[in-house]
Amino acid sequence: MRAVVLLSGGLDSYTAAAMARQQRFTLFALTIHYGQRHAREIESARAVARALGIERHLELDLDLRAIGGSSLTSSAAVPHGRSLDAAEIPSTYVPARNTIFLSVALGWAEVLGAHDIVIGVNALDYSGYPDCRPEFVAAFERLASLATRAGVEGARFRVHTPLISLGKADIIRRGVALGLDYGLTHSCYDPQPDGRPCSTCDSCVLRAKGFREVGIPDPLMR
């Protein structure tokens, strides 16, 4: 079976892809250059794709900086030291990003004759993003059946979200059990000039919390 996996180079997408590989999917990875300031993750996506033995790794330019609306695609400050219990959606939210990414993945899947898409979204440690919720994923699956020739002809597309109900520590445990090298990944929203993580953005804090709860060192912080 073929599956298109959205591969960002982060810890979550790496783990989700590895879990799909364990289920014997043949993986086609899609990495999107969307104008993100943490472009270091593109290098990580390439390293992760090699480690997973991806069938094909497609890198696509889709620059969202012209749209704006996010501190990840502009010069606006990335929040540091923010309480993860805060109710507001943070400035690192990229407007409709997962809708856009899944739409591109759906188009490629239809060309490949694949009916499965894998994405590493998470509804627990998700920093308030609305497009990481189960309701969103279910709605996109319904859309896929209406928006494609394959769907109209009876194919059922499925969006796999193996991490959706897991905390960061549980995600890391799954990856460690699969033998993943998290030293290949990149999670930071606002890396230092030399590429090292900032340690204080939402993504860094969530990652550190996960490794701390598992009781193993983060290979990026050695």
Side-chain angles (χ1 to χ4, degrees):
M1 297 182 294
R2 294 180 167 190
V4 172
V5 56
L6 284 163
L7 197 66
S8 70
L11 183 152
D12 290 348
S13 71
Y14 185 18
T15 308
M19 293 170 72
R21 183 185 63 175
Q22 186 184 41
Q23 296 177 341
R24 302 191 181 282
F25 280 105
T26 299
L27 301 179
F28 292 77
L30 175 62
T31 298
I32 297 179
H33 302 239
Y34 64 94
Q36 62 269 51
R37 66 196 298 162
H38 47 297
R40 166 71 178 78
E41 71 177 14
I42 302 298
E43 299 172 20
S44 291
R46 294 168 183 161
V48 164
R50 288 192 295 269
L52 290 170
I54 296 293
E55 184 74 14
R56 182 183 172 193
H57 185 198
L58 175 63
E59 296 184 25
L60 187 68
D61 290 320
L62 185 59
D63 196 340
L64 300 181
R65 287 177 295 184
I67 294 175
S70 171
S71 58
L72 297 189
T73 56
S74 71
S75 59
V78 169
H80 291 267
R82 193 178 74 96
S83 170
L84 296 181
D85 294 326
E88 76 275 6
I89 297 172
S91 68
T92 49
Y93 164 71
V94 179
R97 180 176 61 181
N98 283 345
T99 305
I100 295 167
F101 286 9
L102 282 171
S103 296
V104 177
L106 175 63
W108 194 27
E110 189 171 25
V111 170
L112 292 170
H115 299 143
D116 297 273
I117 299 170
V118 181
I119 184 171
V121 294
N122 178 265
L124 296 181
D125 293 339
Y126 74 124
S127 299
Y129 299 152
D131 53 359
C132 290
R133 297 172 299 161
E135 304 95 303
F136 164 74
V137 175
F140 191 88
E141 286 185 329
R142 292 195 297 272
L143 177 148
S145 69
L146 299 172
T148 59
R149 180 173 64 186
V152 170
E153 292 176 349
R156 178 177 180 269
F157 289 94
R158 183 179 177 193
V159 179
H160 298 259
T161 57
L163 314 182
I164 194 108
S165 61
L166 300 181
K168 192 67 71 177
D170 289 327
I171 294 169
I172 293 169
R173 289 188 186 99
R174 297 288 181 94
V176 169
L178 291 170
L180 303 188
D181 177 6
Y182 285 129
L184 300 176
T185 64
H186 176 83
S187 301
C188 182
Y189 289 151
D190 195 21
Q192 300 180 43
D194 62 1
R196 287 184 299 150
C198 72
S199 302
T200 55
C201 69
D202 288 359
S203 187
C204 280
V205 171
L206 284 170
R207 180 177 173 127
K209 178 175 177 285
F211 276 100
R212 186 168 59 249
E213 290 177 357
V214 174
I216 60 175
D218 182 346
L220 292 185
M221 302 305 292
R222 291 175 181 171

